[in-house]
Amino acid sequence: MNTYLQQSKDFIKKSLARSEIINPFRTLFKEVEFETLAYCNRKCEYCPNVDWERFGDDESFFMKDEVFRALIQQLKDLGFSGQIAPHMYGEPLSDPRLTKWMAYIRKNLPDSKIKVVTNGDFLSKQKYDELIESGVNVFFISIHSKKLKKICLDMLDQLTEQEKSEHIIINDFYNDYKEDQIMFANRGGDIDLKTKEKKIPPTNCVYATYPVINTFGDLVLCCQDYHNNYIFGNIMERHLGDIWYDPSNMNLRKRIFKSKFDIQICQDCLM
């Protein structure tokens, strides 16, 4: 996009946000991400997982069942009906509880849209059918090597074109990273991109507008906060609604959305 045109659009968006003509915080958040486990079977060079390891409670990768159930109950209390994704930096299909947990979400949040983001390494046709039956709406399959694993390719071959259209979105991060890096952010400064001179700080940052819950049950700043450096509360100690609408959380998120960056991770973030 023409640089002048992009700058003009960003200026307009910032102005609309700062005057609160655009204000996503007037209503309940439309999306939630939560981390069922912190383990990923891949170590991609463009992910913080390549240099650091993350754990849940008791040096386990897994979110505890009581934390998961508390999250879903609290979302139910809030009347949440948006998109929910068991995703942060772990590979959700590594979690043997995933099918059962997605069914629990569908039962308790019947109007929500369930999104599973996966590298596809464990997405067989059987697993796909199980998760669709449990209530999953859509799979975002990320390509992180020259091609998807055979198990995933075989699954795709068995789907009809209508099924693919309704339930499958594929993003090729592997080739994008090697070429233009259009889809990449620098993860709040954790990743060094060769195209960083073309990247800019976020405008009307959508990542600040919805909750991200880690394996411990902490509300963290956003999905870019790999190290959990910015924590606003824990859902086992306070209700998610109380944490979300706490002025210390809400005011910071509003400022980020208005492109007013007070904390280091936002100052370092390029997209």
Side-chain angles (χ1 to χ4, degrees):
M1 181 181 290
N2 178 276
T3 301
Y4 176 76
L5 179 58
Q6 182 64 58
Q7 290 175 343
S8 298
K9 287 186 174 182
D10 287 347
F11 175 79
I12 292 171
K13 289 194 290 185
K14 286 180 185 178
S15 298
L16 292 172
R18 291 179 178 182
S19 62
E20 299 203 1
I21 294 174
I22 298 176
N23 181 2
F25 301 100
R26 287 197 183 101
T27 58
L28 186 67
F29 43 83
K30 302 295 192 295
E31 183 173 355
V32 176
E33 291 179 358
F34 70 100
E35 189 171 38
T36 75
L37 81 170
Y39 167 77
C40 184
N41 61 303
R42 285 185 177 254
K43 298 293 182 183
C44 303
E45 63 181 299
Y46 43 75
C47 178
N49 273 329
V50 75
D51 292 317
W52 296 283
E53 194 64 89
R54 303 175 76 248
F55 293 94
D57 278 335
D58 304 323
E59 295 191 352
S60 164
F61 290 109
F62 294 96
M63 173 181 276
K64 291 182 176 178
D65 187 72
E66 56 264 35
V67 177
F68 166 71
R69 290 178 180 273
L71 172 63
I72 303 309
Q73 181 59 53
Q74 291 173 26
L75 290 171
K76 187 176 182 179
D77 295 342
L78 291 167
F80 177 77
S81 60
Q83 179 171 273
I84 184 167
H87 171 70
M88 193 176 174
Y89 287 92
E91 167 51 48
L93 268 71
S94 296
D95 191 336
R97 308 166 299 178
L98 187 65
T99 301
K100 181 176 68 174
W101 279 18
M102 298 305 97
Y104 188 84
I105 292 173
R106 177 55 64 224
K107 179 181 178 181
N108 287 276
L109 301 173
D111 297 324
S112 65
K113 179 180 179 181
I114 303 175
K115 176 179 79 171
V116 172
V117 181
T118 174
N119 57 36
D121 289 354
F122 309 115
L123 188 54
S124 65
K125 181 61 163 60
Q126 179 181 349
K127 179 57 67 174
Y128 169 87
D129 289 340
E130 287 177 2
L131 288 167
I132 289 291
E133 180 66 24
S134 74
V136 171
N137 298 98
V138 63
F139 295 86
F140 278 56
I141 301 174
S142 303
I143 300 176
H144 295 299
S145 52
K146 289 183 179 180
K147 62 179 182 179
L148 291 167
K149 290 289 185 70
K150 184 177 185 301
I151 191 173
C152 187
L153 291 173
D154 289 347
M155 178 276 298
L156 291 170
D157 284 343
Q158 295 177 65
L159 298 184
T160 66
E161 291 304 313
Q162 181 176 349
E163 286 175 314
K164 292 178 186 176
S165 175
E166 290 179 0
H167 301 301
I168 301 291
I169 294 174
I170 298 176
N171 292 307
D172 188 349
F173 288 98
Y174 179 81
N175 284 304
D176 181 65
Y177 181 75
K178 292 187 175 300
E179 295 171 5
D180 299 325
Q181 300 184 343
I182 293 172
M183 295 189 288
F184 281 89
N186 71 346
R187 295 296 185 188
D190 275 340
I191 302 299
D192 187 24
L193 298 175
K194 67 181 181 182
T195 56
K196 60 184 177 182
E197 70 280 356
K198 297 180 181 179
K199 299 290 185 178
I200 59 174
T203 301
N204 299 163
C205 183
V206 67
Y207 294 126
T209 66
Y210 63 87
V212 175
I213 309 296
N214 67 14
T215 53
F216 300 102
D218 298 321
L219 172 65
V220 299
L221 178 66
C222 70
C223 61
Q224 308 296 325
D225 186 9
Y226 177 86
H227 303 284
N228 300 329
N229 286 331
Y230 301 91
I231 294 174
F232 298 89
N234 186 284
I235 63 168
M236 302 304 288
E237 298 170 359
R238 295 177 68 196
H239 194 284
L240 176 60
D242 294 333
I243 303 171
W244 183 254
Y245 289 110
D246 188 295
S248 63
N249 176 65
M250 189 56 54
N251 292 339
L252 176 61
R253 292 178 184 275
K254 285 181 178 180
R255 286 184 62 79
I256 293 170
F257 188 75
K258 296 174 181 179
S259 301
K260 297 179 179 180
F261 305 129
D262 304 311
I263 54 178
Q264 194 65 51
I265 189 173
C266 298
Q267 294 167 6
D268 293 339
C269 190
L270 296 173
M271 295 186 178

